[in-house]
């Protein structure tokens, strides 16, 4: 959860024109390492250390939110013990990260930059598989199943636009249909003409849109939502 928290802060404040992290300018998949700007980390750390707890009427979690002491403990952990650089090194070591940009379409004319993890199977007959995470999450949602899936699948796990290390849209119009076509364009860039889709939570919206708008390329769509 802590890792997702910082990744979401990165994405929500990171339009393509003002990124808080390195993102290659590429029109085809390009390998790169995750590297967050130190200025952003320093800024986030100052905010955490300046946190002042609000009044709370409850000692346990309720529909009003978390208790004051829980948030205070979390802020203290982030401010004194948590190390993003250690997490960053682990993410770069464990997974192969790529960046690409696909053309806009429909109601969204701007280019669409996408970050994704790509783990090719050693099985030459493996089926390509696109993983779509939920809200509010990132590709890290799938990290524990990458090793098992890659035995029989070529795994592609994206960060949805505006999440993780996929820059946020720069204008309105990037709806489910536009993203469905964009994700298919990514798979075509990778040479995957036909592929399966797995989605969870919010990812179901885009997986369903893919079966509707680029269904001729979809082998099947599995969702738990």
């Amino acid at each position: 959860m802590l890792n997702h928290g910082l990744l979401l802060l990165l994405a929500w404040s990171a339009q393509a024109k003002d990124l808080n992290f390195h993102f290659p300018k590429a029109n085809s998949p390009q390998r790169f390492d995750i590297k967050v700007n130190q200025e952003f980390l320093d800024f986030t750390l100052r905010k955490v250390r300046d946190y002042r707890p609000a009044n709370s009427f409850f000692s346990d979690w309720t529909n009003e939110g978390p208790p004051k002491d829980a948030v205070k403990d979390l802020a203290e952990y982030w401010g004194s013990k948590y190390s993003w650089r250690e997490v960053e090194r682990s993410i770069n070591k464990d997974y192969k990260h790529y960046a690409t940009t696909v053309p806009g379409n429909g109601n969204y004319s701007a280019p669409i930059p996408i970050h994704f993890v790509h783990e090719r199977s050693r099985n030459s007959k493996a089926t390509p598989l696109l993983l779509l995470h939920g809200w509010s999450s990132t590709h890290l949602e799938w990290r524990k199943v990458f090793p098992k899936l890659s035995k029989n699948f070529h795994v592609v796990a994206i960060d949805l636009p505006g999440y993780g290390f996929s820059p946020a849209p720069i204008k309105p119009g990037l709806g489910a249909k536009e993203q469905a076509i964009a994700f298919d364009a990514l798979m075509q860039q990778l040479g995957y003409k036909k592929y399966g889709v797995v989605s969870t939570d919010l990812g179901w919206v885009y997986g369903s849109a893919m079966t509707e708008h680029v269904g001729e390329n979809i082998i099947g769509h599995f969702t738990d939502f």
Side-chain angles (χ1 to χ4, degrees), residues 194-215:
K194 302 281 186 179
Y195 54 91
V197 178
V198 174
S199 66
T200 184
D201 194 72
L202 178 66
W204 166 81
V205 174
Y206 306 111
S208 297
M210 293 185 77
T211 62
E212 179 179 357
H213 299 292
V214 292

Side-chain angles (χ1 to χ4, degrees), residues 144-180:
K144 291 184 178 180
V145 299
F146 285 160
K148 290 185 177 180
L149 284 178
S150 62
K151 291 180 179 179
N152 295 295
F153 297 95
H154 300 309
V155 178
V156 180
I158 69 170
D159 281 338
L160 298 174
Y163 293 79
F165 293 99
S166 287
I170 60 174
K171 56 188 290 187
L174 189 60
K177 178 181 179 180
E178 287 77 14
Q179 293 191 56

Side-chain angles (χ1 to χ4, degrees), residues 1-8 10 31-36 41 82-98 115-119 138-141 143 146 157 159 164-165:
M1 182 180 72
L2 294 173
N3 297 347
H4 284 311
L6 184 55
L7 288 177
L8 290 172
L10 283 164
R31 183 85 162 82
F32 80 111
D33 283 338
I34 302 299
K35 186 176 182 181
V36 177
L41 296 179
Y82 180 81
S83 171
W84 167 255
R85 291 303 184 199
E86 290 183 9
V87 174
E88 189 176 73
R89 284 191 290 271
S90 175
I91 290 175
N92 286 323
K93 177 182 177 182
D94 293 344
Y95 318 115
K96 298 181 180 69
H97 296 268
Y98 294 84
H115 160 257
F116 61 99
V117 169
H118 187 199
E119 296 291 337
T138 71
H139 71 281
L140 290 174
E141 187 167 355
R143 66 192 184 281
F146 285 160
D159 281 338
F165 293 99

Side-chain angles (χ1 to χ4, degrees), residues 185-198:
L186 164 63
M187 296 301 281
Q188 301 306 316
Q189 282 189 1
L190 293 171
Y192 298 143
K193 304 300 182 183
K194 302 281 186 179
Y195 54 91
V197 178
V198 174

Side-chain angles (χ1 to χ4, degrees), residues 4-196:
H4 284 311
L6 184 55
L7 288 177
L8 290 172
L9 284 173
L10 283 164
W12 289 339
S13 59
Q15 291 186 339
K17 61 184 180 181
D18 188 26
L19 294 177
N20 296 311
F21 51 87
H22 170 62
F23 191 89
K25 294 182 179 179
N27 294 320
S28 60
Q30 179 177 324
R31 183 85 162 82
F32 80 111
D33 283 338
I34 302 299
K35 186 176 182 181
V36 177
N37 295 347
Q38 187 61 46
E39 292 81 3
F40 177 78
L41 296 179
D42 293 341
F43 169 73
T44 303
L45 192 59
R46 287 196 302 271
K47 291 181 67 176
V48 171
R49 289 175 174 170
D50 287 343
Y51 168 75
R52 297 294 182 271
N55 290 330
S56 175
F57 300 106
F58 306 98
S59 59
D60 297 313
W61 284 74
T62 70
N63 59 2
E64 299 291 335
K68 177 176 66 175
D69 289 344
V71 179
K72 181 180 178 182
D73 290 345
L74 179 61
E76 289 178 352
Y77 175 80
W78 269 50
S80 61
K81 297 180 180 179
Y82 180 81
S83 171
W84 167 255
R85 291 303 184 199
E86 290 183 9
V87 174
E88 189 176 73
R89 284 191 290 271
S90 175
I91 290 175
N92 286 323
K93 177 182 177 182
D94 293 344
Y95 318 115
K96 298 181 180 69
H97 296 268
Y98 294 84
T100 192
T101 300
V102 299
N105 66 85
N107 294 318
Y108 192 82
S109 58
I112 304 170
I114 302 173
H115 160 257
F116 61 99
V117 169
H118 187 199
E119 296 291 337
R120 289 188 61 86
S121 175
R122 294 182 179 179
N123 180 358
S124 60
K125 297 182 179 180
T127 299
L129 192 65
L130 175 65
L131 306 181
L132 302 175
H133 66 76
W135 184 93
S136 52
S137 191
T138 71
H139 71 281
L140 290 174
E141 187 167 355
W142 308 102
R143 66 192 184 281
K144 291 184 178 180
V145 299
F146 285 160
K148 290 185 177 180
L149 284 178
S150 62
K151 291 180 179 179
N152 295 295
F153 297 95
H154 300 309
V155 178
V156 180
I158 69 170
D159 281 338
L160 298 174
Y163 293 79
F165 293 99
S166 287
I170 60 174
K171 56 188 290 187
L174 189 60
K177 178 181 179 180
E178 287 77 14
Q179 293 191 56
I181 294 172
F183 301 157
D184 178 69
L186 164 63
M187 296 301 281
Q188 301 306 316
Q189 282 189 1
L190 293 171
Y192 298 143
K193 304 300 182 183
K194 302 281 186 179
Y195 54 91

